[in-house]
Amino acid sequence: MQVTVFLLGHDCHSIIAGPAHADAVIAGLQKYLDDGFELFLSAHYGPEDRSDVQTKISYIEGLKDIVARCSSAEEFSDAVKERYPGYSGENYLRMTAGMFFPQ
């Protein structure tokens, strides 16, 4: 069984529009796993499997952990880059930082 998702990317930053959105994305991805989907086709990434989706869930949970310890977008971005070195999509990270820490 396969599903098409907009943004996934197991090693790419995601656009997360704050804590409620993080929880909603995690819940949606977990539902796909619970429903037995095996193949995930992303609009902006290559095909991925269940382990990639679990990696993305862990990443978003990591973002929630990091944001709880930060007081600025810059501090958040630096901490995320340190925890997830080599991830692509730094522009997505900047957008996420701006949504968690609006000016």
Side-chain angles (χ1 to χ4, degrees), residues 66-86:
I66 292 168
V67 78
R69 297 182 282 111
C70 294
S71 59
S72 71
E74 183 177 352
E75 182 183 9
F76 171 77
S77 293
D78 289 346
V80 171
K81 286 188 244 180
E82 184 177 319
R83 185 181 281 186
Y84 302 100

Side-chain angles (χ1 to χ4, degrees), residues 16 73-74 76-77 92-103:
I16 302 296
E74 183 177 352
F76 171 77
S77 293
Y92 294 162
L93 176 56
R94 282 193 304 273
M95 287 186 260
T96 295
M99 289 184 232
F100 275 105
F101 297 95
Q103 294 180 339

Side-chain angles (χ1 to χ4, degrees), residues 24-90:
V25 172
I26 290 169
L29 293 174
Q30 187 60 55
K31 179 151 178 35
Y32 289 142
L33 294 177
D34 294 346
D35 288 348
F37 286 94
E38 298 288 335
L39 180 62
F40 299 82
L41 305 174
S42 176
H44 296 281
Y45 206 84
E48 296 192 280
D49 62 22
R50 294 175 64 82
S51 68
D52 296 320
V53 172
Q54 188 57 58
T55 297
K56 182 55 76 172
I57 290 170
S58 296
Y59 164 83
I60 298 169
E61 289 171 341
L63 293 183
K64 290 173 51 177
D65 176 59
I66 292 168
V67 78
R69 297 182 282 111
C70 294
S71 59
S72 71
E74 183 177 352
E75 182 183 9
F76 171 77
S77 293
D78 289 346
V80 171
K81 286 188 244 180
E82 184 177 319
R83 185 181 281 186
Y84 302 100
Y87 268 46
S88 63
E90 191 167 336

